[in-house]
Amino acid sequence: MKTIQMALTGALHHHNKGASDWGWPGLLAYGCQNFVVVVDTHTVQVVQTLDRHKTNVVKVKWARENYHHDLNLPYTLRLASADSHGRIVVWDVSQGLIRADFYDGTKPVQDLEWLSTQDACPTLLAAIHPPSSVVLWNADTGTKLWKKNFNETLLSFAFDPFNPANMTLLANDCILFVSDFMTSRPPAGTGRRFYISNPASPVNSGAADGGRSSERRTGGRSALRRNFKLLVGDVKDSVFPTSKAGEDAVTLNECLQLMYLRSCRNHLLLVYSKELLILDLEIKQTVGIVAIERSGSPFVQVVACRQRDALLCLHENASVTVRVRRKVVMGPFSTPVDQIGNMASQQTGDLSPLSEQDVTYELRCQSEAIRITKHIRITGMAACPVNERSVAIFVNDGRIMFWNLTTVPALVQARDTPNHTQTHLSPLHSPGFSLSDSGSDPYKYPSSSSSSEASTAAASPAKTAKTCSVPRTCNVPHVKMAICDMIGQTYGPTEPSVDRQGYVFRFTLQGLLSGLPLPPTIIKMCPPLTTKNWNVYRPLLAVGSSHGLVQVYNLSSGLLWREFNIHTCQVRGLEWTSLTSFLSFAYPSPGQSGLVKNELLLVNLQTGSSELFRGDKGNDESPIEIVRISHLKQYAIIVFKDKPMELWDIRSQTLLREMPKNFPTISALEWSPSNNLKSLKKKLSQDPTSAAGSPTVELLPTIGTETKAQTDSKKLANLTVREHFVFTDSDGQLYHFMVEGNIVKDGSKIPPDGTMGAITCIAWKGDTMVLGDVDGNINIWDLKAKISRAVPTHRGWIKKLKFAPGRGNQKILVLYNDGAEVWDAKEVEMVSSVKCPRDMAKVIDIDWASSDKPVLACDDGTVRVSDMDMKNACAPVTERDITEPVFSPHLVPPAAAFTVKYLLQHQPWNTDFSYSLTDLHGKNGEELQRIVNEQLQLIPSDLQEYLPICPYGTAQRCLIVSRLFGDESELHFWTVALHNLRREQARLAAGIDKDLLPSTPTSDMFLPVDSASSSQGDLLASENTAGSSGDTTSSGYFPLDALSLDTCYDILCDQPFFQKYQLERINLHDSKRATYEHTQHCAEKLLMLGQSDRAVQLYLETDADNDNYFSDSLRACLIATIRSSGASQSTIKLVATNLIANGKLPEGVQLLCLIDKAFDACRYLQDYGEWDQAAWLAKASLNNVECSEVMKRWVDHLCSSAVNYKSKAILVLLSLGHFLKVLELLYSMRHFDRAALFAEACLEFGVLILNEETSSLIEAIFLEYARYLHSLGNLTAMEHYCHKAGGKGQQLLRDMQTENAQLQEKAAGEGSEDGGADQQGDADTTEGVEEGLLLS
């Protein structure tokens, strides 16, 4: 096994708090001291440690994967980390190399965030550099693109996931909103400044009333009674004019975290220790508070889910809670469950009742807590962005706990824990994947094989490409890969259907990763690799701690191999007696008497047993200072502080000799590597009665031969080998002794060298002996030449000397108080040097992992296995011996990754879906094929069973593979594509024209399905099953718009669902009205949504003393008049046009919406650059035809060179059902693999109109996909798509066959030439042999 450069990490520094991130590739990165540790979350093992930071790591961020991957842009592991000195490093994690290194100032970086606003440049990194600067970096080159200084001390920032131009910054006492964030230039201003206040205070009560009539008019819904907090003002003095107002302000310096909700647009989350504030940025007001009671554990961190409207909350007691947004139901007051075991009826006065309209997150699950002590604290949490159901919790002692969220049926939960809070809540329902007959399994797809036929029969033959092949029969449960596979939408169907069963959450501990104890006190490497033990050798490093714990690490993988809690006090020393056992000694701090209880244990790694090596000895004696094992592992010398040394036989664990009291005091001791083993072997070979083999089997047992050695122990018990050791006394005199059996013979004595001080350590290898003293001098003795040389290092006390293993290797490692050095004893020169704490933390102990890799144990709790320069402790991941194989396309060659990908997505060239590749050609074809097959076998068994029979064919497989690969771009594309393909298939099955689709949430659009299998969870229902009535007219109905994309897709959602959601939002805003401006906002939104009656009511609520009373009254009259008569539409349109031309865009848009000219309003909004607002208005108020026109114009804008956001344009086209346009755009972007698979999916769903133009485009796509497959070496797949690509595909196939034939002929010709040369060489050799025989 090869020993590689790595770092073994332990406890975290307080600067590492929050320095963690779970990336899309499925890897977890976190900062530990000045290292970045990368962990595979599936196998829970460390795969990389990155070592280049000089100070503690404060931030870690994985790069986004939201771009198309191909051979030119392969899957890579790019990671950014920042330290406390302001240095930002961008890593190539797989190679352990730095891609870029840059800084701005020397203060700790406050926040990092990767941007993905443009398809052309996914390498932009934004950072906050203290005290008030935001810098945009090019992470590939380290170039500073721009820098913006704000007037506040910045703590963190958050980017709007729905609008990349919006950035929110958290400062000490305010929040800054920036609405013009761009990559090309810095923001123009310093942002709008807001503070949080309590409107219930006397100072702000008048302002909060805002000119509205009293509580009497608002129906008792005033925000003043509910103690909500508002975002107010740009100038603090105007909001808080008196000193008392400062007491009413909510201090933001207590805010732990600021983030956008990723599931809902325009929602901001502020995290405090005792509550969460949900702020609606449209009305600048709190719309929800998640509070915990006083006895509850405070919040530490919150992760907002994207796929479902849920929050993952970390608490100080290390528990994780899941809170899911409650569906809004119009009705009287009701109070949610706030904490496990506390129902609404048990709430105290600390928690004010919430309106049913409020945003409420119900507690649905809680993990187990751990015991928190004075020294044990929680430092952070990271959640998987792919599935949003797996979390990792970091403890400051180095532990990482991996929790996985699962679901169990509600009935099972009620049966097992009848008093649990979740049994009193309405259960969460499954997403409704299927239409099952019995409802027994909510994840079963229809078993009827005629569903696709029934769907196709209703559609016009001229409009479909071919007979639909999906959905297919599938009796395998759907794989729950993400949280969206486990629970349905918050805004989904109100009542559960047959296949939408009730579920509750449950946390399970998936894994636990531990680190080194703090700090390691001693390290010792096992005996080195030799030719005799290479087949059983493991590079094991023993690490002793201050708590009596001994850990054994495998340095080929970096994983903890064994752990022994054998001592009750600090481990003082370790010595290996063989490859499978070691001696460990420990004792507590001496008292006034100077006597201690010595614990000397012999530990067996194979059995895990430990025994007292000295028997009953060890009580009340002088502390052990040195334990040395002889070179052949026969003897052990134990040196005490104030007691003569002892000589022990390791094999029999007997005391051979205890030196007299007048024996010199030992300051340093070392065994000689020379012995008479060769003469003993010769003696044994001449003795026929002796045991066969060498006695070294017993002297140095190994894993594979120890049993045989034990059987021969009686025969070899009387055989001993003479060994030598030397030591120095306190005066520097050197003594030489010989040991053979129980005989100790005194040898020569060498007087002290006058140039040396007191000797502290000795190292001996071959004919070279090196001594170190308290003054930092090194004395190198050449015993063969009988010369010595003193070298002053000027580094002070030398604590340890250690020769590197390997024959002829004269490198020696030197430990000082302030660092370490590597010297070449042969050349007498220094090779490398480190000083502490300049280069790293203080070095406590040293050793060699191999002949060229020193090991340094530091007081920050880390152990570094570095290169000879002692500067770098990281290596490529491929060199690490991974104990458990890891499925990761980011860690294999690009060609192998894309081969695995296309095999899992679609295999039409194979009769049966296969997880084995046998015909890969090209350069390194065999090696790539081996890697591909290894990766395929690592896919979970449930996925292997499900992928071949996916009910929705290629599109569903591509969606699953995107989750498996952690490909963000693919995931978004196929999520939107699959939904709209199913919806379009349902529309065609109903025979409904797309232009006549309803655009209102009150649609009466239904699909006829069998009542026994009716479901609100699927867009396409199956035909009546066998045995049921064939009369579909009397059966139940399935609504076409029953399910939509979740709210995280915003504008991409189906139009009826989007309008319903917007009405619910404006209803919530209406219930929260607290100021005149807020009321005006609600009236304007209601007007654009077509709710004129409510808008009139709001305008009429304006107080008479308000300056806008007259204009609002006229507006109310105008709206009411237009509703009854439309004769003045031309005049109103003219006025609206003039208003827009004179800079009154919002007012003009409102007037146009009033006269049902919302389409013109959208065009004006687009002309003035308000693209998002135009899209919102089109989706909320236009019919399908007009909305499609507006959205297509938006697509053209997104595809322009100035914006270059074609990936979003493709999603918009998918939402419109313009699949042919999607194919054209994918083809123009050269995304041939995605285009080909999407074309296959469209053909399977039967949603493409086949004509000459369409066929030509599909053939061109298949032709390029064939070339792509050929570049990956799969000739069979290439041939399949060449046949589907028409005439050009056939020509390509012929050209490839001709080229392959020419290559084969060329190879055959070269082989024949080589064969002739080999024959000639063989002939020459034969002649030479014959000539030699003749000469002899």
Side-chain angles (χ1 to χ4, degrees):
M1 290 187 180
K2 183 180 179 181
T3 303
I4 66 168
Q5 297 161 203
M6 67 175 69
L8 307 178
T9 57
L12 308 183
H13 195 274
H14 67 88
H15 285 163
N16 300 136
K17 184 175 182 179
S20 60
D21 191 31
W22 196 318
W24 280 87
L27 300 177
L28 176 68
Y30 69 97
C32 180
Q33 304 294 335
N34 62 324
F35 290 95
V36 178
V37 185
V38 181
V39 181
D40 177 64
T41 56
H42 297 97
T43 60
V44 191
Q45 58 183 339
V46 177
V47 296
Q48 181 64 283
T49 52
L50 304 172
D51 172 31
R52 286 298 173 88
H53 287 286
K54 300 297 182 183
T55 56
N56 297 315
V57 176
V58 295
K59 291 294 175 184
V60 171
K61 281 290 181 182
W62 285 102
R64 299 283 296 274
E65 294 289 328
N66 196 14
Y67 60 91
H68 178 258
H69 298 83
D70 53 23
L71 291 174
N72 296 322
L73 284 174
Y75 290 103
T76 58
L77 293 176
R78 188 166 60 237
L79 178 72
S81 60
D83 59 29
S84 58
H85 278 188
R87 183 189 184 196
I88 300 175
V89 178
V90 179
W91 301 90
D92 181 348
V93 175
S94 60
Q95 297 298 319
L97 301 176
I98 294 179
R99 302 182 62 161
D101 184 2
F102 43 88
Y103 61 92
D104 185 85
T106 58
K107 294 183 178 180
V109 175
Q110 292 292 336
D111 213 347
L112 282 178
E113 189 65 49
W114 290 88
L115 304 182
S116 58
T117 57
Q118 283 190 332
D119 295 330
C121 190
T123 61
L124 302 181
L125 182 68
I128 294 181
H129 293 272
S132 58
S133 299
V134 174
V135 180
L136 185 64
W137 300 92
N138 185 326
D140 270 354
T141 61
T143 305
K144 184 189 299 183
L145 301 182
W146 53 255
K147 179 179 180 179
K148 176 66 178 180
N149 292 318
F150 294 85
N151 298 327
E152 300 286 342
T153 301
L154 303 179
L155 303 178
S156 65
F157 57 16
F159 289 88
D160 190 345
F162 298 93
N163 187 353
N166 294 338
M167 177 179 65
T168 303
L169 300 106
L170 177 64
N172 269 335
D173 59 348
C174 68
I175 297 177
L176 299 177
F177 288 95
V178 176
S179 59
D180 59 343
F181 184 91
M182 300 179 65
T183 58
S184 58
R185 58 174 177 81
T190 57
R192 297 186 63 192
R193 185 179 293 103
F194 289 90
Y195 302 89
I196 297 182
S197 71
N198 188 342
S201 64
V203 175
N204 294 320
S205 59
D209 186 80
R212 293 182 57 197
S213 55
S214 63
E215 199 172 323
R216 172 177 52 82
R217 285 198 185 179
T218 61
R221 297 174 308 186
S222 173
L224 307 183
R225 291 197 308 109
R226 297 200 296 272
N227 197 26
F228 279 163
K229 302 173 176 66
L230 303 178
L231 281 171
V232 292
D234 281 334
V235 182
K236 188 173 184 180
D237 294 337
S238 65
V239 179
F240 306 114
T242 65
S243 59
K244 186 177 180 180
E247 300 173 1
D248 299 320
V250 179
T251 55
L252 281 171
N253 54 13
E254 297 178 359
C255 182
L256 304 176
Q257 189 180 358
L258 175 144
M259 64 187 307
Y260 280 91
L261 289 186
R262 300 166 61 219
S263 59
C264 302
R265 192 183 185 108
N266 292 324
H267 283 75
L268 196 67
L269 181 69
L270 296 180
V271 181
Y272 292 86
S273 60
K274 286 294 185 179
E275 64 182 359
L276 309 177
L277 303 185
I278 298 98
L279 308 175
D280 193 314
L281 298 183
E282 282 194 37
I283 60 176
K284 302 296 188 296
Q285 183 176 334
T286 303
V287 293
I289 296 180
V290 179
I292 56 177
E293 62 178 12
R294 294 178 181 177
S295 61
S297 181
F299 293 110
V300 175
Q301 186 180 347
V302 174
V303 174
C305 297
R306 181 182 183 275
Q307 302 168 31
R308 291 292 182 260
D309 197 352
L311 302 176
L312 303 174
C313 308
L314 175 65
H315 299 263
E316 283 187 358
N317 61 358
S319 66
V320 181
T321 57
V322 180
R323 297 175 183 269
V324 181
R325 184 167 179 174
R326 184 178 58 182
K327 181 175 175 59
V328 176
V329 179
M330 301 298 293
F333 283 92
S334 65
T335 310
V337 175
D338 187 73
Q339 193 74 8
I340 283 185
N342 295 286
M343 297 303 297
S345 59
Q346 301 171 347
Q347 287 195 29
T348 64
D350 296 331
L351 300 178
S352 58
L354 301 178
S355 168
E356 191 70 24
Q357 290 291 313
D358 294 333
V359 176
T360 306
Y361 288 87
E362 294 176 329
L363 182 62
R364 290 292 184 170
C365 184
Q366 184 171 10
S367 67
E368 296 180 2
I370 67 172
R371 183 183 177 187
I372 301 298
T373 64
K374 180 180 178 181
H375 302 289
I376 301 298
R377 297 182 304 277
I378 302 302
T379 62
M381 173 182 68
C384 176
V386 181
N387 60 42
E388 293 183 336
R389 56 178 290 196
S390 302
V391 296
I393 303 173
F394 298 88
V395 188
N396 66 339
D397 62 1
R399 285 179 294 167
I400 306 177
M401 295 178 289
F402 293 88
W403 291 95
N404 198 31
L405 193 63
T406 59
T407 54
V408 294
L411 296 178
V412 175
Q413 177 74 20
R415 181 192 63 200
D416 296 343
T417 55
N419 296 324
H420 198 276
T421 301
Q422 292 198 56
T423 61
H424 301 283
L425 292 171
S426 60
L428 300 168
H429 294 102
S430 61
F433 288 102
S434 61
L435 302 171
S436 59
D437 297 330
S438 63
S440 58
D441 188 347
Y443 293 102
K444 291 289 181 65
Y445 280 83
S447 58
S448 173
S449 60
S450 59
S451 60
S452 61
E453 298 174 3
S455 303
T456 311
S460 172
K463 290 214 170 193
T464 57
K466 61 176 183 178
T467 302
C468 302
S469 59
V470 293
R472 292 191 287 260
T473 301
C474 178
N475 293 321
V476 178
H478 183 85
V479 181
K480 301 179 184 179
M481 297 185 67
I483 192 172
C484 61
D485 300 330
M486 301 165 64
I487 61 172
Q489 301 173 2
T490 302
Y491 297 91
T494 305
E495 297 296 331
S497 59
V498 176
D499 69 324
R500 299 185 74 246
Q501 304 298 309
Y503 281 86
V504 295
F505 281 134
R506 182 177 294 177
F507 270 115
T508 58
L509 186 63
Q510 182 183 4
L512 176 66
L513 187 64
S514 300
L516 286 169
L518 180 65
T521 57
I522 194 76
I523 59 172
K524 189 66 177 180
M525 193 68 191
C526 70
L529 176 68
T530 64
T531 55
K532 297 178 182 178
N533 63 16
W534 66 271
N535 57 334
V536 293
Y537 181 77
R538 286 193 184 97
L540 302 179
L541 176 72
V543 183
S545 73
S546 57
H547 301 293
L549 185 69
V550 178
Q551 296 177 321
V552 181
Y553 282 85
N554 189 330
L555 294 188
S556 63
S557 63
L559 297 181
L560 180 64
W561 192 63
R562 295 287 189 273
E563 187 174 64
F564 303 95
N565 196 356
I566 52 179
H567 294 293
T568 59
C569 50
Q570 178 178 334
V571 180
R572 308 286 179 168
L574 294 166
E575 289 290 330
W576 289 82
T577 60
S578 69
L579 287 176
T580 60
S581 60
F582 63 84
L583 281 174
S584 173
F585 68 92
Y587 57 83
S589 299
Q592 294 182 354
S593 63
L595 302 180
V596 297
K597 179 182 179 180
N598 288 312
E599 300 175 2
L600 182 60
L601 300 177
L602 179 62
V603 181
N604 191 311
L605 296 181
Q606 291 179 310
T607 62
S609 62
S610 60
E611 54 182 323
L612 293 172
F613 185 76
R614 300 174 66 226
D616 297 334
K617 294 186 175 183
N619 294 325
D620 296 331
E621 63 179 354
S622 180
I624 297 176
E625 285 197 333
I626 301 174
V627 174
R628 291 288 184 269
I629 306 298
S630 66
H631 186 69
L632 297 179
K633 314 302 180 187
Q634 296 183 101
Y635 311 110
I637 290 179
I638 303 173
V639 179
F640 300 89
K641 182 178 181 181
D642 299 319
K643 179 183 174 181
M645 75 173 194
E646 296 177 351
L647 179 65
W648 288 75
D649 188 306
I650 296 178
R651 291 173 294 182
S652 60
Q653 298 182 27
T654 57
L655 179 62
L656 298 179
R657 178 81 178 270
E658 183 175 0
M659 297 304 173
K661 292 184 179 181
N662 60 353
F663 198 77
T665 301
I666 299 176
S667 62
L669 183 144
E670 188 59 62
W671 285 93
S672 168
S674 60
N675 51 67
N676 64 338
L677 184 59
K678 291 184 178 180
S679 61
L680 183 61
K681 285 182 179 180
K682 184 177 180 181
K683 178 181 177 182
L684 290 174
S685 62
Q686 295 173 356
D687 186 0
T689 63
S690 64
S694 171
T696 56
V697 175
E698 172 65 13
L699 301 177
L700 185 60
T702 59
I703 296 174
T705 59
E706 189 148 350
T707 302
K708 183 179 183 300
Q710 290 176 353
T711 59
D712 297 338
S713 59
K714 293 182 179 179
K715 296 180 181 180
L716 300 175
N718 297 325
L719 296 178
T720 58
V721 180
R722 185 172 63 248
E723 296 195 70
H724 310 258
F725 70 89
V726 295
F727 68 87
T728 56
D729 60 13
S730 55
D731 297 328
Q733 184 166 275
L734 183 70
Y735 297 83
H736 174 234
F737 282 81
M738 292 178 291
V739 182
E740 187 170 5
N742 59 353
I743 302 174
V744 179
K745 294 183 180 180
D746 189 1
S748 59
K749 298 179 183 179
I750 301 175
D753 189 340
T755 61
M756 299 286 290
I759 304 299
T760 57
C761 49
I762 304 174
W764 193 350
K765 182 178 182 180
D767 295 328
T768 305
M769 182 188 297
V770 181
L771 295 83
D773 66 4
V774 295
D775 299 324
N777 298 313
I778 297 177
N779 202 337
I780 302 175
W781 292 9
D782 187 338
L783 302 179
K784 188 174 183 180
K786 297 182 179 180
I787 59 174
S788 66
R789 180 174 178 180
V791 181
T793 63
H794 307 292
R795 293 285 296 268
W797 184 16
I798 297 177
K799 301 173 65 176
K800 189 174 182 179
L801 296 169
K802 184 71 176 180
F803 270 108
R807 178 173 296 181
N809 190 350
Q810 293 293 306
K811 301 293 189 302
I812 187 168
L813 191 57
V814 186
L815 175 63
Y816 305 98
N817 268 328
D818 63 345
E821 290 179 346
V822 176
W823 283 76
D824 189 328
K826 183 177 181 180
E827 303 294 334
V828 193
E829 62 180 9
M830 186 179 67
V831 178
S832 60
S833 173
V834 292
K835 287 190 176 182
C836 305
R838 183 193 66 184
D839 299 324
M840 63 177 64
K842 183 179 180 181
V843 180
I844 299 175
D845 199 6
I846 58 172
D847 208 331
W848 290 92
S850 62
S851 59
D852 60 344
K853 291 181 176 60
V855 184
L856 310 176
C858 302
D859 65 352
D860 60 357
T862 60
V863 174
R864 292 167 165 84
V865 182
S866 64
D867 56 5
M868 193 66 76
D869 292 334
M870 296 186 289
K871 304 294 185 184
N872 186 22
C874 59
V877 177
T878 53
E879 295 184 7
R880 187 183 289 256
D881 183 19
I882 303 296
T883 304
E884 188 174 351
V886 175
F887 177 84
S888 179
H890 300 74
L891 295 176
V892 299
F898 291 114
T899 302
V900 173
K901 184 177 178 181
Y902 75 70
L903 285 176
L904 295 177
Q905 289 175 327
H906 197 40
Q907 300 181 15
W909 56 88
N910 289 333
T911 306
D912 298 321
F913 199 91
S914 174
Y915 291 98
S916 177
L917 185 64
T918 58
D919 55 350
L920 199 63
H921 301 274
K923 186 178 181 181
N924 301 325
E926 294 183 359
E927 177 64 16
L928 289 176
Q929 182 173 301
R930 179 188 64 80
I931 296 174
V932 168
N933 288 328
E934 288 177 354
Q935 290 289 298
L936 290 174
Q937 296 307 313
L938 294 175
I939 298 173
S941 57
D942 54 348
L943 274 182
Q944 290 192 18
E945 185 181 6
Y946 186 75
L947 280 175
I949 51 177
C950 278
Y952 289 98
T954 303
Q956 191 177 12
R957 269 196 305 272
C958 290
L959 177 59
I960 293 174
V961 172
S962 68
R963 293 191 186 279
L964 189 65
F965 273 56
D967 193 325
E968 186 178 3
S969 176
E970 292 272 317
L971 177 61
H972 295 332
F973 175 85
W974 289 110
T975 299
V976 179
L978 178 59
H979 171 80
N980 287 282
L981 285 171
R982 293 170 63 188
R983 184 174 178 82
E984 181 69 6
Q985 188 184 43
R987 183 189 66 79
L988 293 173
I992 301 172
D993 194 327
K994 183 184 294 187
D995 296 341
L996 301 179
L997 280 175
S999 59
T1000 62
T1002 57
S1003 169
D1004 294 328
M1005 165 69 70
F1006 293 98
L1007 278 176
V1009 298
D1010 180 34
S1011 59
S1013 61
S1014 63
S1015 168
Q1016 297 184 1
D1018 210 326
L1019 291 174
L1020 184 63
S1022 63
E1023 193 186 45
N1024 297 336
T1025 57
S1028 62
S1029 173
D1031 184 11
T1032 59
T1033 60
S1034 60
S1035 63
Y1037 289 88
F1038 169 69
L1040 184 65
D1041 57 348
L1043 273 188
S1044 173
L1045 294 170
D1046 211 340
T1047 52
C1048 61
Y1049 286 98
D1050 195 45
I1051 297 295
L1052 304 179
C1053 295
D1054 297 337
Q1055 205 167 355
F1057 173 84
F1058 183 81
Q1059 293 176 356
K1060 180 181 177 182
Y1061 174 62
Q1062 296 304 319
L1063 288 174
E1064 290 181 357
R1065 275 181 53 78
I1066 197 62
N1067 190 23
L1068 173 62
H1069 294 173
D1070 190 7
S1071 68
K1072 294 287 185 180
R1073 288 182 294 117
T1075 64
Y1076 171 75
E1077 290 77 12
H1078 187 176
T1079 302
Q1080 291 294 302
H1081 169 81
C1082 292
E1084 293 168 2
K1085 287 290 185 180
L1086 287 167
L1087 194 60
M1088 287 189 285
L1089 289 173
Q1091 306 296 318
S1092 302
D1093 294 340
R1094 182 57 182 163
V1096 170
Q1097 294 177 15
L1098 295 188
Y1099 281 125
L1100 291 177
E1101 285 186 2
T1102 305
D1103 286 339
D1105 57 352
N1106 192 298
D1107 294 338
N1108 298 314
Y1109 173 73
F1110 181 68
S1111 60
D1112 287 347
S1113 299
L1114 291 180
R1115 287 181 183 179
C1117 295
L1118 176 63
I1119 297 172
T1121 304
I1122 294 300
R1123 293 279 294 173
S1124 59
S1125 173
S1128 57
Q1129 286 197 3
S1130 58
T1131 303
I1132 295 176
K1133 184 176 182 180
L1134 179 61
V1135 172
T1137 306
N1138 291 333
L1139 286 173
I1140 293 174
N1142 289 279
K1144 301 289 185 179
L1145 180 63
E1147 291 80 357
V1149 168
Q1150 293 172 35
L1151 287 179
L1152 290 174
C1153 292
L1154 183 61
I1155 58 175
D1156 294 331
K1157 298 294 183 181
F1159 179 73
D1160 295 333
C1162 292
R1163 297 297 296 265
Y1164 280 117
L1165 285 170
Q1166 291 180 332
D1167 291 339
Y1168 282 84
E1170 299 292 337
W1171 295 96
D1172 289 341
Q1173 181 67 14
W1176 178 89
L1177 182 58
K1179 205 80 171 182
S1181 60
L1182 298 181
N1183 58 40
N1184 286 283
V1185 178
E1186 292 177 339
C1187 178
S1188 179
E1189 289 297 321
V1190 174
M1191 302 299 272
K1192 284 192 290 186
R1193 192 179 182 197
W1194 188 30
V1195 167
D1196 296 337
H1197 169 72
L1198 293 172
C1199 294
S1200 63
S1201 58
V1203 180
N1204 195 18
Y1205 209 175
K1206 294 181 180 179
S1207 58
K1208 187 171 183 178
I1210 289 175
L1211 299 181
V1212 175
L1213 289 173
L1214 285 172
S1215 68
L1216 298 175
H1218 295 174
F1219 303 134
L1220 188 61
K1221 293 290 185 180
V1222 172
L1223 289 173
E1224 292 175 354
L1225 189 53
L1226 287 173
Y1227 184 79
S1228 67
M1229 297 170 66
R1230 304 188 63 82
H1231 296 176
F1232 301 127
D1233 55 336
R1234 188 179 295 180
L1237 294 169
F1238 183 66
E1240 292 276 21
C1242 291
L1243 295 175
E1244 290 175 355
F1245 277 88
V1247 297
L1248 281 183
I1249 301 174
L1250 288 181
N1251 50 37
E1252 183 177 353
E1253 180 184 359
T1254 306
S1255 301
S1256 175
L1257 175 62
I1258 293 177
E1259 289 179 359
I1261 291 173
F1262 285 157
L1263 178 65
E1264 295 298 333
Y1265 190 50
R1267 289 194 174 100
Y1268 171 77
L1269 293 173
H1270 179 265
S1271 67
L1272 294 175
N1274 195 329
L1275 301 184
T1276 305
M1278 181 210 71
E1279 183 177 352
H1280 172 83
Y1281 278 98
C1282 282
H1283 289 309
K1284 298 183 69 172
K1288 292 183 179 180
Q1290 298 297 329
Q1291 181 61 41
L1292 175 64
L1293 184 59
R1294 288 191 293 269
D1295 294 343
M1296 293 296 179
Q1297 291 173 348
T1298 303
E1299 181 181 350
N1300 291 335
Q1302 293 175 353
L1303 291 175
Q1304 291 176 359
E1305 291 178 0
K1306 183 178 179 180
E1310 293 177 352
S1312 61
E1313 293 177 2
D1314 293 342
D1318 292 341
Q1319 292 177 3
Q1320 182 64 36
D1322 292 340
D1324 294 341
T1325 303
T1326 303
E1327 292 176 0
V1329 171
E1330 292 176 353
E1331 184 178 352
L1333 290 174
L1334 290 174
L1335 291 175
S1336 61

